[in-house]
C-alpha cells in the first residue's frame, strides 16, 4: 500500500526511482586504559593532520565543481578541526584519565555538539552537525575505517538520509542522484542550496523517513509540493512518470524559446524576466533558463552558516562575479535581509518574540553601520564590473529611505577619498513589502530609481498571516483582493513617477498570476530560475489591453475565491488555445508536479 508523506519542498522537480538509504553507521568506539597517554596524544595529532589534508582536498574539489561559496563550509570544518580549546580538553583528559584517544574524542565531541544543540539557534544547530562530521572523520582515521560516501551509486536512485553533510554532497554521484529525501534540513541548509544549484528535486523535514524506508523501495518525490510517496501504486507511478516526461519535453521547448530572445506579449510589449538567486553558483542555470538579469540577489546568504561575518573583499568578489557574468544585464543586490526567520548568532541576532516585526533588514543595518557600510563598500566596488543596482528591504517610510541613502552616499564619498574604483551613482531602489510603503508609494517613488514588490512579506503583513504557520497557511492567498489592490497602487505610483516597478516574490513565478500582474502595471518579473520558462511562455500568449481589462474586472471583486476562479478560467482558456503552457495547473506548479 502506498504511503504519502509531506515535508518541505526545497528544490522543484519530480523523481521516480528506488530508494538508496544512506545511513552513516556510528563507529564502534572502544574504551580501554592506556599506559602511555603521550602515545595516544601523538595518534590524535597524526589523525588531525590526515583529516586536514582530506578537508583541504574536499575544499578544492568543491570550489572547482560548485564555486567558492559552497567550498567555504570546509573552512568551518578546518577551524573546528584545529580548535585549540578542543585540543586542550582532549589532551587534558588523556593525561588525567589515561584512556584511549577514541573514547576521549567521542565524549568531548558529543558534549560540544549537545551544547550547540541546546542553544536553540538554527546556525548553531548546523554547527553541531559540523562538529560531529569532523569528529567522525577523526574517528575513522584513528580506527582505520572507511567512511561511507555517495561517490558511486548502483544506478538512478532517490537518496534517503537523515541529512547530508557538506562532506557527503561534495563527492556525491550527481548523475545517478535523481532526488534527495531528508529527515532534517531546511530551505537554507547546505543540502537544499546544493540541490537547487544542481537542479536535483529535494524534500526535507520528513522526520523519521530514513529509519523506516526499505532500501530499494520504489519512491516518488515531488520537490515542489514537498511530497514523497513510498511504494506507489502502478496507477500513481504511471501518472507521475507521464507527467514527468511531459514536463521534461515542455521545459526543453521553453528553454529553447528562452534562448531565442526576451519575453514579448502578443502586442509587442517586452517584459524583462529576471532570476532570484542566493549564490553566484546559480547564475549559469539562470542564464540557461533565459534570465535577462538578476532581479533579486539575496546577499544575506553570504552571512549564514558561518562563524563570522564575511569581510569586504569576500563580499566584493561574490558581487563582482555576478556583475561580470551578467554584464551588461542588471544585477539587483538586496542589502542583507537578516533577522526574521534568518537568525545569525555571530551578528547577535537571536530569536525574538515577534521576529517578522522585529530587528531585521534595514532596521538591523541602520543599527549596525559597521556591518552595513562594509557591505555597501563591496557593492559599490563590484558595480565597476557591470550593471549593479542596489535595493533596500523592509522600507516602511520616507525617513528610512533617506537614511539608508545617506549612508550609501557617505560610503561612496569615502571610496572617492581613498581613490578606490567603484560604480558611481548607480540605480537605487526600494522594496515594497510593508503596507505603509504602499500607502506612501507616491512619495517614495520620487526618491528612488525603481520599485521591487516583495509579495511574500506584503501578503503576510497585509493579511496578518504567518506564512510558515501551517494552521493558517490557507489564509495566505495572493489572489486576495486587498493584495491585488496594494500591488496596483504601488505600480500606479511608480508609473506616475516614471520609474519601473517589478515583482520579486513567489507570486511572480506563478503563471496563473502573470496576466493580472501585467495588467496591474508591473513592468518586470523576477523569480526562481526554474519558473522562468513557464512564465515566459505565458507572456507570449497575453495581450496588454486584455490584461488591463482583466485587472480592472478583478479589482471590482471582493472575494479571493471569485478572483482565483476568474484567473483560472482565463488561464485555462488561453492554454487550451495552444499557448504552449499546457500541463501547468495554474497554481504555481509545473506540469511535472502532481498534487
Amino acid at each position: 500500500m502506498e504511503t504519502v508523506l509531506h515535508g518541505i519542498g526545497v528544490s522543484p522537480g519530480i523523481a521516480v526511482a528506488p530508494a538508496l538509504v544512506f545511513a552513516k553507521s556510528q563507529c564502534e568506539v572502544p574504551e580501554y586504559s592506556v599506559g602511555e597517554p603521550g602515545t595516544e596524544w601523538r595518534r590524535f595529532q597524526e589523525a588531525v593532520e590526515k583529516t586536514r589534508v582530506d578537508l583541504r582536498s574536499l575544499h578544492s574539489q568543491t570550489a572547482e565543481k560548485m564555486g567558492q561559496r559552497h567550498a567555504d563550509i570546509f573552512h568551518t570544518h578546518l577551524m573546528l578541526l584545529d580548535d585549540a580549546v578542543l585540543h586542550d580538553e582532549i589532551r587534558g583528559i588523556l593525561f588525567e584519565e589515561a584512556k584511549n584517544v577514541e573514547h576521549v574524542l567521542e565524549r568531548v565531541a558529543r558534549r560540544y555538539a549537545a551544547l550547540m544543540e541546546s542553544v536553540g539557534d538554527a546556525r548553531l544547530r548546523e554547527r553541531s552537525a559540523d562538529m560531529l562530521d569532523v569528529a567522525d572523520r577523526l574517528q575513522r582515521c584513528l580506527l582505520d575505517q572507511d567512511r561511507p560516501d555517495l561517490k558511486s551509486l548502483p544506478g538512478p536512485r532517490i537518496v534517503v538520509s537523515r541529512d547530508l553533510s557538506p562532506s557527503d554532497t561534495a563527492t556525491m554521484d550527481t548523475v545517478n542522484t535523481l532526488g534527495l529525501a531528508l529527515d532534517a534540513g531546511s530551505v537554507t541548509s547546505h543540502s537544499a542550496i546544493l540541490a537547487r544549484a544542481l537542479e536535483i528535486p529535494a524534500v526535507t523535514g520528513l522526520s523519521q523517513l530514513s529509519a523506516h524506508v526499505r532500501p530499494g523501495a520504489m519512491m516518488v518525490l515531488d520537490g515542489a509540493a514537498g511530497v514523497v510517496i513510498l511504494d506507489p501504486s502502478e496507477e500513481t507511478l504511471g501518472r507521475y512518470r507521464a507527467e514527468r516526461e511531459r514536463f521534461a519535453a515542455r521545459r526543453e521547448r521553453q528553454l529553447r524559446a528562452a534562448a531565442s530572445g526576451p519575453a514579448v506579449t502578443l502586442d509587442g510589449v517586452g517584459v524583462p524576466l529576471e532570476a532570484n538567486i542566493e549564490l553566484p553558483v546559480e547564475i549559469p542555470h539562470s542564464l540557461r533558463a533565459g534570465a535577462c538579469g538578476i532581479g533579486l540577489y539575496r546577499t544575506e546568504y553570504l552571512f549564514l552558516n558561518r562563524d563570522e561575518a564575511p569581510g569586504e573583499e569576500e563580499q566584493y568578489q561574490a558581487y563582482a562575479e555576478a556583475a561580470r557574468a551578467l554584464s551588461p544585464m542588471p544585477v539587483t543586490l538586496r542589502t542583507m535581509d537578516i533577522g526574521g526567520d534568518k537568525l545569525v548568532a555571530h551578528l547577535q541576532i537571536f530569536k525574538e518574540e515577534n521576529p517578522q516585526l522585529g530587528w531585521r533588514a534595514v532596521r538591523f543595518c541602520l543599527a549596525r553601520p559597521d556591518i552595513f557600510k562594509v557591505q555597501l563598500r563591496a557593492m559599490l566596488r563590484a558595480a565597476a564590473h557591470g550593471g549593479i543596482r542596489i535595493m533596500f528591504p523592509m522600507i516602511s517610510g520616507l525617513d528610512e529611505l533617506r537614511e539608508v541613502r545617506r549612508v550609501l552616499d557617505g560610503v561612496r564619498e569615502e571610496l572617492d577619498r581613498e581613490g578606490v574604483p567603484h560604480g558611481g551613482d548607480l540605480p537605487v531602489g526600494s522594496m515594497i513589502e510593508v503596507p505603509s510603503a504602499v500607502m506612501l508609494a507616491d512619495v517614495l517613488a520620487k526618491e528612488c530609481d525603481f520599485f521591487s514588490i516583495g509579495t511574500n512579506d506584503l501578503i503576510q503583513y497585509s493579511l496578518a498571516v504567518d506564512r510558515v504557520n501551517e494552521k493558517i497557511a490557507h489564509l495566505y492567498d495572493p489572489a486576495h483582493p486587498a493584495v491585488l489592490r496594494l500591488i496596483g497602487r504601488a505600480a500606479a505610483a511608480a508609473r506616475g513617477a516614471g520609474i519601473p516597478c517589478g515583482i520579486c516574490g513567489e507570486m511572480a513565478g506563478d503563471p496563473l498570476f502573470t496576466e493580472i500582474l501585467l495588467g496591474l502595471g508591473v513592468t518586470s518579473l523576477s523569480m526562481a530560475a526554474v519558473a522562468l520558462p513557464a512564465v515566459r511562455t505565458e507572456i507570449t500568449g497575453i495581450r496588454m489591453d486584455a490584461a488591463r481589462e482583466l485587472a480592472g474586472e478583478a479589482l471590482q471583486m471582493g472575494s479571493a475565491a471569485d478572483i482565483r476562479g476568474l484567473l483560472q478560467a482565463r488561464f485555462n482558456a488561453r492554454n487550451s488555445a495552444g499557448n504552449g503552457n499546457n500541463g501547468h495547473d495554474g497554481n504555481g506548479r509545473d506540469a511535472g508536479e502532481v498534487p
Side-chain angles (χ1 to χ4, degrees), residues 54-210:
D54 288 344
L55 289 173
R56 285 175 175 166
S57 175
L58 281 172
H59 177 273
S60 299
Q61 291 175 39
T62 306
E64 182 178 350
K65 180 179 175 182
M66 294 298 301
Q68 186 60 44
R69 180 66 183 99
H70 279 286
D72 282 346
I73 188 67
F74 293 108
H75 281 315
T76 300
H77 284 207
L78 284 164
M79 286 191 293
L80 290 170
L81 177 70
D82 292 325
D83 186 277
V85 176
L86 178 72
H87 287 207
D88 288 346
E89 184 166 350
I90 289 173
R91 190 176 191 279
I93 296 174
L94 275 175
F95 281 88
E96 180 181 342
E97 300 184 8
K99 293 287 187 179
N100 62 304
V101 68
E102 295 92 343
H103 171 67
V104 175
L105 171 61
E106 174 81 357
R107 279 172 51 192
V108 174
R110 292 213 168 273
R111 187 171 64 80
Y112 271 54
L115 284 172
M116 293 174 182
E117 283 279 354
S118 68
V119 173
D121 174 42
R123 183 194 67 89
L124 285 178
R125 281 197 296 274
E126 293 196 4
R127 283 295 162 270
S128 170
D130 292 335
M131 168 60 75
L132 294 176
D133 191 56
V134 171
D136 181 72
R137 283 188 170 278
L138 285 168
Q139 289 287 18
R140 293 180 188 278
C141 188
L142 288 164
L143 296 167
D144 195 24
Q145 293 182 5
D146 290 334
R147 182 180 168 94
D149 59 51
L150 295 166
K151 289 180 182 177
S152 181
L153 304 191
R157 295 290 188 272
I158 293 174
V159 174
V160 179
S161 183
R162 182 185 178 281
D163 198 4
L164 296 179
S165 70
S167 301
D168 300 324
T169 55
T171 57
M172 185 170 65
D173 178 355
T174 56
V175 173
N176 285 312
T177 301
L178 301 191
L180 300 177
L182 307 177
D183 297 346
S186 66
V187 174
T188 61
S189 67
H190 179 84
S191 299
I193 293 172
L194 183 99
R196 288 194 293 274
L198 296 176
E199 300 181 50
I200 298 174
V203 178
T204 66
L206 290 164
S207 189
Q208 299 298 315
L209 172 67
S210 65

Side-chain angles (χ1 to χ4, degrees), residues 1-3 230-233:
M1 176 182 289
E2 69 179 32
T3 303
L230 300 179
D231 299 313
S233 67

Side-chain angles (χ1 to χ4, degrees), residues 303 336-339 344 346-349 358-372 375 394 400:
F303 292 76
M336 66 184 98
D337 188 1
I338 292 291
V344 185
H346 66 77
L347 297 180
Q348 299 299 303
I349 299 178
W359 198 45
R360 59 172 291 203
V362 294
R363 300 167 182 178
F364 168 79
C365 289
L366 291 173
R368 292 294 305 271
D370 55 321
I371 296 169
F372 190 32
Q375 182 174 51
M394 285 287 289
E400 237 168 13

Side-chain angles (χ1 to χ4, degrees), residues 87 109 184 348 390 452 459 584 588:
H87 287 207
Q348 299 299 303
I390 295 177
S452 184
I459 295 169
H584 194 290

